[in-house]
Amino acid sequence: MSRLVPMFALTGKPKKEQIEEKMLGFLSQGINELMLYARSGCELEYMTDEWLKTCEDCVLLAEKYGVKLWIYDEFNWPSGSCGGKVAKLDKEFCAKYLEIVDGEIVVRYENPYTSTADDGTMQEKRFSVDMLNPDATRAFISLTHEIYKQRFGQYFGKVILGFFTDEPSFSYYSSVENPAYYDGVWADYKAKYSRDGQKDFLSKDEGFYPRYITLLGERFAKSF
C-alpha cells in the first residue's frame, strides 16, 4: 500500500505557531510524512537565511511530533534552477538551442529573464537552465542540496528522509525546429551514427531528430 506524502506548501511568511497548527492537522488525519514545498505565494526569498529558518521551524516541530519530512528541492518547478539563481551565475549555465539563419546554424542562449513586469522588475524565467551542462547541475546542487546538508545534516535519515526532484528536462526549450544543444554534440553525433549532424540538420534529414534527441537524452542522463 502506497503512503501519502502531501506537499506542505510554505506560503506567505508563516510563523512557527501556524506551521505547528497545520502539522498537527495532518497528524490528526493519520498523515505523518510531509514534503516541504517552496512555491508561488511564498514571501520568503528562496534559500536565504529567512527561508532556512522557516525550514528549521518545520524540522524541529517534525522532530517533536514524530513527523518525517521530504524536501522539495526547487522553487516551483522544474528542479535545476534554484529559483532562477543558477542561470544568472554564468552565461554557459543558460540553456542553448539551435536555429538556422540564412542557411547557417546558430547557437542561441535562453535569457534567464522574462519580460519586464508592470512594476519595472525583470521576472525570472524558470525554463532557462542548461540541463545538458554538468557544471550547471553542480551549481544547482551547491545552491540547494549542499546548503540543506550544511544546515540540517544532523537530521538526515532521521527526520529528513530525502529530496524530491520535480520534472527536470531539456525538452522545455527543445523542439524539432530548434533542438537543444550542448558543446561537443556534433562530435558525439558523428561517433554514434557515422554521419555529419550539421548537414543532417540543415538538410532536414527525416532521421535527424530521432537520432539527435537520443543523444540529448543520453547526455541528460549523465549531466543531471
Side-chain angles (χ1 to χ4, degrees):
M1 182 177 180
S2 62
R3 63 198 186 197
L4 181 65
V5 184
M7 289 179 166
F8 194 63
L10 299 173
T11 53
K13 291 187 176 183
K15 299 182 183 302
K16 190 172 182 179
E17 312 84 73
Q18 295 172 307
I19 294 170
E20 184 173 27
E21 181 182 359
K22 290 184 179 180
M23 191 174 288
L24 289 174
F26 278 110
L27 277 172
S28 71
Q29 300 302 311
I31 297 171
N32 63 357
E33 286 190 36
L34 300 170
M35 185 186 301
L36 300 186
Y37 177 36
R39 55 151 294 157
S40 299
C42 181
E43 296 174 9
L44 307 170
E45 185 179 347
Y46 186 57
M47 296 310 296
T48 62
D49 190 66
E50 188 178 27
W51 164 258
L52 293 170
K53 177 59 177 66
T54 298
C55 291
E56 183 178 359
D57 289 341
C58 295
V59 171
L60 293 177
L61 286 168
E63 182 182 42
K64 177 180 178 180
Y65 292 113
V67 172
K68 302 300 182 185
L69 297 177
W70 295 81
I71 297 177
Y72 185 94
D73 68 359
E74 187 53 81
F75 185 89
N76 285 322
W77 64 281
S79 293
S81 75
C82 188
K85 292 180 172 61
V86 172
K88 296 171 189 173
L89 289 176
D90 190 318
K91 181 182 178 182
E92 291 305 314
F93 294 169
C94 293
K96 294 177 277 292
Y97 61 92
L98 301 176
E99 186 176 359
I100 298 175
V101 179
D102 296 328
E104 299 289 334
I105 299 174
V106 177
V107 177
R108 301 290 193 194
Y109 287 77
E110 280 282 359
N111 191 323
Y113 301 97
T114 59
S115 58
T116 305
D118 292 339
D119 62 1
T121 60
M122 296 296 289
Q123 303 298 299
E124 294 170 354
K125 190 173 186 179
R126 286 186 285 152
F127 310 111
S128 60
V129 176
D130 187 357
M131 301 287 184
L132 304 174
N133 185 339
D135 290 334
T137 300
R138 281 188 279 271
F140 167 63
I141 291 172
S142 71
L143 292 173
T144 52
H145 294 229
E146 291 295 338
I147 290 177
Y148 282 121
K149 181 181 178 182
Q150 292 168 17
R151 187 84 172 223
F152 306 117
Q154 62 180 309
Y155 299 101
F156 281 17
K158 301 171 185 176
V159 178
I160 300 172
L161 300 183
F163 291 92
F164 177 81
T165 296
D166 194 10
E167 299 182 10
S169 175
F170 60 85
S171 65
Y172 299 118
Y173 53 86
S174 180
S175 67
V176 175
E177 293 78 15
N178 302 112
Y181 170 84
Y182 65 88
D183 294 336
V185 70
W186 300 127
D188 289 348
Y189 190 98
K190 181 72 172 179
K192 187 175 182 67
Y193 303 114
S194 300
R195 298 178 64 93
D196 187 320
Q198 296 180 75
K199 285 185 178 179
D200 283 352
F201 181 45
L202 287 169
S203 68
K204 300 186 184 301
D205 180 88
E206 64 178 13
F208 169 75
Y209 192 72
R211 291 191 289 266
Y212 192 82
I213 202 71
T214 297
L215 271 183
L216 296 185
E218 291 173 352
R219 172 75 173 199
F220 176 70
K222 294 176 182 177
S223 65
F224 191 88

